[in-house]
Amino acid sequence: MTADLPTRARVVVIGGGAVGTSVAYHLTALGFTDLLLLEQGQLSSGTTWHAAGLVGQLRATESGTRLVQYSASLYASLEEETGLGTGWKQCGGVTVARTPERMEQLLRTAAAAEAYDLECEVISPDRARELWPHLETGDLVGAIWLPRDGTVNPADVTQALARGARQRGAVIAERTRVLGIDVHDGVAMGVQTDRGSVEAEIVVNCAGQWAHAIGLMAGVTVPLHSAEHFYVVTEAIEGVARMTPILRDPDGYTYIKEEVGGLVVGGFEPVAKPWVAPDAIPHPFEFSLLEEDWDHFSILMDSALHRVPVLQETGIKKFYNGPESFTPDNQFILGEAPEVRNFFVAAGFNSVGIASAGGAGRALAEWIAAGEPQRDLVSVDIRRFGPFNNNRQWLRARVGEVLGLHYAVPWPNREFDTARPFRRSPLHGRMDDANAVFGSKFGWERPLFFAPPGVPPALEYTWGQPSWIPWVDEEQRATREAVALFDESSFGKLLVTGPDAELLLSRTCANDVAVPPGRIVYTAVLNSRGTYEADVTVTRISDTEYLWITSAASPVRDADWLRRHIGPGMRVDVVDMSGAYAVIGVMGPASRALLSRVSAADFSDEGFPFATSRLVDVGDFTVRASRITYVGELGWELVVPAEFAIGVYDALRAAGADLGVRDAGYYALNALRLEKGYRAFGPELNPDYGPVEAGLLFAARSSAAFVGADALTEARNRPAQRRLVSWVARDPAAMLWGGELMMRDGVSAGQVTSAAYATTTGAFVGLGYVRTPDGELDLSGEWAISVGGRPVPVTVSTEAPYDPRNSRIRP
């Protein structure tokens, strides 16, 4: 601790745990040496000190896996650099399966590891016992072995990172509590502490479970809530060696690791115990624990006693109940706050803070230095949340479920159950009456599919083919053969308005938006690296007004991106109108006939060409009709003021009975778009890929002064390392969900991004990125996709499986 607190620093980092010291370490490595780190207690005294220290490298996504891989390499090298050890030991990890369903997950996990070039071996229960001699294997189906997993001492990691930051000039002030954030004209300018104020150009909130409260000081949404988290440390056990692997028994909710010849036994119980409200954590809470709760811990302890019988005769040295913070979606929070410039957040690590700290610290430091993310961080980006996610009651309800999902089977298309329904479309009641099964996106309740009359509307989780596939088939068939109505009200809708609206969008959009009013432009939105920040349609409403339509999860992110590119003196506003309008997709070959029955407008091809948008009457109501499609059929999207939505929907249903009109949901939409080869932001389009890799150069000008133009030109002229392809499975019995390994001639070649059963094609179809290290896309050879370790032959092509010449959308 310093005797006198500096009155100014270029960067102030709040929080002295593993994450805060990692951010400081990496910022100083990038030249931000005028840095002050503030810790209200002592370094690591909040959550870090009682963390288990597991570093499991395989994550659900490649970007997440790369972050943790970097963490492991950093922890292994810090002692050489700083002189302080981290306790890193590469002991490996064994994960066991009690059920066929869990084993299916592990087989898919092993295939993902192969796609990421991470060593992983599927092993038998006997082999698992060889690696873990005290293991009870009588009820096990199988296991996997990850030899590169390891553990660290979290407090030692923190001290080593702190020393590395100090060696490059950082000042670390312990026992200094932040009381306020200075914000002027929407920009963070410094902090107020119990030892005085500090001016700063950049403020970084790494305050762990206090990050929510720190965010409130700045008017920033940091949606996280603490939950009690338990583990015990046993007495020494004969035969437990220092390099004993980590054991994970997710069906029993437990993990076990070696510590000083004994074992740490912890886990993630199915129903958690939320702690106090995030802005009501007591102070001081330094190196503090909560009361023991053996009753709540019993489900974990009973499981561990079964899996490791020697525990039945082993004493307990210490019971730890240390609260940790969790986010509403089980992903941590990283990035610059959309509400306040120069205010960054790294928090809410959901019990994976030690494994993630190294990589997350580097990623945020790069973001700060470059002014934008330097890799795909969409799944952890702070802009995936809205202000409504900060509600304490809503957070408390959700956190009780989130902690328990750590070791639940990660079923495909898993939906949260708690704190729902939340945001409801104006048509929600009509969809509910139609027996919709709802999913949730950015809080919106969206119809996934419609169950038949008399069938309870429930979502079945399985690795195999679920009961709802025939129902989704009917929705696809209606779209391809007649007409279907999609409630797409969850789409993000931004109004970009003002005399300089065209200038702003010409700067941020890769395609040409200087079009006449009434035209729709599909465009890539790129960052300075020439990779995707958004994938949108932009409709010019007037000379000074555009409507920006984006995915349901992206309006906060997209609005922030646009506002960041408003230059001095530019007269333009960006307004989020997402809740003000419903969107009804009217899709299918009979869509023209249906709309002509309820409107006097001319919907002919000559009178209403593709990519045209205008105001039309629908019954008694005036709506915006846009001729566009995401399903590959003739169709229109109706943008309807919320108060008119039910009237418009009812008019369409009444007029289309004899045309075969029916409701359709997002599962059908996903299958239809994949059959047509349409990409989606997130799985196919993200900051790791650009238009060259995605095959979407038509949505970007070849030469213009938009953000990312120079990088895109360079990408056009160099060999792409990956390319996106469509595929069709040749085995109708297979069930593909996305994320599977793609193989060429039996060798790892890429990964599926999205998959669904396409009714018209009569097979599972999807998209996937394949590696092209020499820049050449060679689709010869035998292609297959690994489904639970079983190769499913596929046909691979750069063309869409359905209507590649677009004849269906322009009749």
Side-chain angles (χ1 to χ4, degrees):
M1 173 175 170
T2 58
D4 297 311
L5 194 69
T7 59
R8 190 188 183 286
R10 185 181 181 191
V11 181
V12 171
V13 176
I14 304 169
V19 174
T21 54
S22 177
V23 171
Y25 171 90
H26 288 95
L27 278 173
T28 56
L30 292 174
F32 289 75
T33 54
D34 181 13
L35 181 148
L36 172 65
L37 185 148
L38 303 175
E39 165 54 46
Q40 65 178 340
Q42 296 175 253
L43 293 181
S44 79
S45 65
T47 298
T48 295
W49 74 276
H50 60 70
L54 309 183
V55 185
Q57 297 182 41
L58 182 58
R59 302 289 152 172
T61 64
E62 182 172 3
S63 58
T65 299
R66 301 298 179 225
L67 283 183
V68 181
Q69 283 183 306
Y70 171 76
S71 293
S73 65
L74 174 67
Y75 301 157
S77 65
L78 273 175
E79 183 171 5
E80 181 178 354
E81 175 188 348
T82 67
L84 293 179
T86 62
W88 166 254
K89 58 177 182 179
Q90 187 176 304
C91 55
V94 175
T95 301
V96 300
R98 301 187 185 194
T99 66
E101 293 79 11
R102 178 70 66 179
M103 195 62 219
E104 175 75 12
Q105 178 220 329
L106 295 188
L107 290 170
R108 290 171 179 260
T109 296
E114 186 173 351
Y116 306 152
D117 197 26
L118 181 68
E119 191 175 352
C120 178
E121 180 184 354
V122 178
I123 60 176
S124 67
D126 288 343
R127 173 59 177 150
R129 184 160 47 199
E130 290 177 9
L131 293 164
W132 228 92
H134 291 291
L135 189 66
E136 167 56 47
T137 61
D139 60 340
L140 295 183
V141 179
I144 58 173
W145 163 237
L146 290 153
R148 296 191 179 276
D149 279 5
T151 66
V152 291
N153 183 312
D156 290 348
V157 166
T158 304
Q159 293 295 340
L161 290 167
R163 177 175 286 186
R166 283 194 190 100
Q167 288 173 339
R168 289 189 285 262
V171 174
I172 296 179
E174 298 177 291
R175 303 201 181 284
T176 305
R177 189 181 186 199
V178 173
L179 303 176
I181 308 294
D182 292 324
V183 178
H184 299 285
D185 296 326
V187 180
M189 305 292 286
V191 300
Q192 303 158 21
T193 81
D194 56 2
R195 298 176 57 205
S197 297
V198 182
E199 295 180 9
E201 298 175 19
I202 297 166
V203 177
V204 189
N205 177 7
C206 304
Q209 60 186 342
W210 291 267
H212 177 98
I214 296 293
L216 291 177
M217 295 176 187
V220 168
T221 298
V222 185
L224 53 84
H225 196 294
S226 295
E228 299 184 33
H229 191 45
F230 310 90
Y231 67 82
V232 297
V233 181
T234 76
E235 302 285 355
I237 300 173
E238 185 177 351
V240 172
R242 178 179 177 274
M243 295 302 288
T244 295
I246 304 162
L247 173 65
R248 296 179 179 88
D249 180 13
D251 292 314
Y253 321 114
T254 54
Y255 63 80
I256 300 174
K257 71 157 193 171
E258 183 274 341
E259 184 164 302
V260 197
L263 296 174
V264 169
V265 179
F268 299 93
E269 65 276 20
V271 180
K273 286 184 66 178
W275 193 35
V276 297
D279 54 350
I281 298 173
H283 177 78
F285 197 74
E286 184 180 355
F287 294 114
S288 296
L289 295 171
L290 304 180
E291 292 183 1
E292 297 178 1
D293 188 341
W294 285 99
D295 287 341
H296 193 80
F297 187 69
S298 63
I299 188 171
L300 303 179
M301 198 67 220
D302 290 347
S303 174
L305 292 171
H306 165 71
R307 183 60 54 221
V308 184
V310 71
L311 289 174
Q312 298 173 22
E313 51 196 57
T314 303
I316 302 296
K317 287 168 53 177
K318 179 71 175 177
F319 186 112
Y320 286 83
N321 180 2
E324 298 186 30
S325 58
F326 294 81
T327 63
D329 63 358
N330 214 13
Q331 299 289 335
F332 57 84
I333 298 172
L334 209 66
E336 186 174 8
E339 303 96 331
V340 176
R341 292 290 173 265
N342 296 340
F343 186 90
F344 291 81
V345 179
F349 280 83
N350 306 290
S351 283
V352 296
I354 304 304
S356 304
R362 181 178 69 165
L364 188 62
E366 291 172 342
W367 188 332
I368 292 169
E372 63 187 40
Q374 297 300 289
R375 63 193 71 233
D376 177 17
L377 299 172
V378 171
S379 65
V380 299
D381 194 316
I382 189 172
R383 296 169 295 179
R384 72 189 188 274
F385 294 118
F388 45 80
N389 292 121
N390 233 24
N391 180 280
R392 293 190 300 178
Q393 182 172 319
W394 184 86
L395 284 169
R396 184 178 182 87
R398 173 58 59 83
V399 162
E401 179 183 9
V402 165
L403 182 147
L405 292 180
H406 272 260
Y407 280 174
V409 175
W411 296 114
N413 298 355
R414 178 70 181 257
E415 296 284 346
F416 289 105
D417 295 322
T418 52
R420 292 182 59 196
F422 192 38
R423 304 178 77 187
R424 294 180 232 197
S425 150
L427 297 175
H428 183 271
R430 290 291 191 267
M431 301 297 103
D432 197 26
D433 291 344
N435 221 22
V437 174
F438 292 97
S440 179
K441 193 76 167 181
F442 198 44
W444 288 106
E445 298 292 326
R446 314 194 306 176
L448 301 178
F449 56 86
F450 293 83
V455 176
L459 188 58
E460 174 191 1
Y461 293 126
T462 176
W463 293 112
Q465 295 196 12
S467 58
W468 45 258
I469 280 190
W471 312 335
V472 175
D473 282 353
E474 293 178 11
E475 296 172 22
Q476 292 185 59
R477 195 169 291 111
T479 311
R480 292 278 187 246
E481 299 174 2
V483 59
L485 303 182
F486 295 83
D487 179 10
E488 300 169 332
S489 302
S490 61
F491 282 179
K493 312 165 198 77
L494 305 179
L495 192 64
V496 184
T497 180
D500 292 319
E502 181 185 306
L503 176 60
L504 174 62
L505 293 179
S506 293
R507 177 180 295 180
T508 54
C509 293
N511 214 345
D512 185 7
V513 297
V515 295
R519 294 296 295 170
I520 305 168
V521 178
Y522 171 63
T523 179
V525 180
L526 307 179
N527 52 45
S528 62
R529 295 180 293 115
T531 58
Y532 275 92
E533 283 296 321
D535 174 63
V536 302
T537 59
V538 176
T539 301
R540 188 158 203 170
I541 296 173
S542 71
D543 289 344
T544 61
E545 208 168 31
Y546 288 83
L547 179 63
W548 172 292
I549 302 291
T550 187
S551 65
S554 297
V556 173
R557 175 191 175 86
D558 289 8
D560 179 67
W561 185 258
L562 289 170
R563 291 171 184 141
R564 288 175 186 277
H565 290 89
I566 298 175
M570 286 179 62
R571 298 162 298 166
V572 60
D573 291 311
V574 179
V575 184
D576 189 344
M577 305 294 289
S578 299
Y581 292 93
V583 176
I584 302 173
V586 185
M587 298 292 159
S591 58
R592 177 176 285 139
L594 174 57
L595 289 168
S596 297
R597 290 183 179 185
V598 295
S599 175
D602 180 2
F603 290 96
S604 69
D605 194 47
E606 298 77 15
F608 210 132
F610 184 77
T612 299
S613 178
R614 61 177 63 122
L615 294 177
V616 301
D617 62 293
V618 174
D620 296 334
F621 313 101
T622 301
V623 306
R624 174 164 295 279
S626 298
R627 187 174 167 193
I628 197 78
T629 181
Y630 197 46
V631 299
E633 298 293 336
L634 175 69
W636 281 260
E637 290 176 358
L638 305 183
V639 181
V640 185
E643 64 270 26
F644 296 156
I646 290 178
V648 171
Y649 172 82
D650 287 349
L652 291 167
R653 288 287 301 191
D658 64 320
L659 295 174
V661 67
R662 65 161 297 152
D663 296 305
Y666 272 81
Y667 281 7
L669 186 74
N670 187 54
L672 293 162
R673 68 101 180 172
L674 290 173
E675 194 172 42
K676 194 66 178 65
Y678 290 155
R679 286 72 162 142
F681 186 75
E684 285 83 42
L685 310 177
N686 61 55
D688 278 348
Y689 300 107
V692 174
E693 293 89 346
L696 294 178
L697 281 172
F698 72 87
R701 290 167 282 176
S702 59
S703 61
F706 58 87
V707 176
D710 291 343
L712 180 57
T713 298
E714 293 177 8
R716 291 175 187 265
N717 296 323
R718 69 169 180 263
Q721 297 300 295
R722 299 191 190 190
R723 292 283 301 278
L724 191 68
V725 297
S726 287
W727 53 264
V728 178
R730 300 204 295 266
D731 179 358
M735 184 71 203
L736 295 102
W737 296 96
E740 294 89 354
L741 171 70
M742 298 185 70
M743 299 177 292
R744 178 173 177 255
D745 296 329
V747 177
S748 172
Q751 191 173 25
V752 174
T753 55
S754 303
Y757 183 78
T759 303
T760 307
T761 302
F764 278 87
V765 303
L767 293 164
Y769 277 103
V770 298
R771 291 190 285 274
T772 54
D774 58 0
E776 295 296 324
L777 180 60
D778 181 1
L779 298 184
S780 65
E782 294 297 321
W783 286 83
I785 292 174
S786 175
V787 178
R790 180 174 65 90
V792 173
V794 296
T795 301
V796 179
S797 174
T798 55
E799 287 195 337
Y802 177 78
D803 188 28
R805 302 294 176 261
N806 296 324
S807 62
R808 301 281 297 183
I809 67 176
R810 299 174 186 265

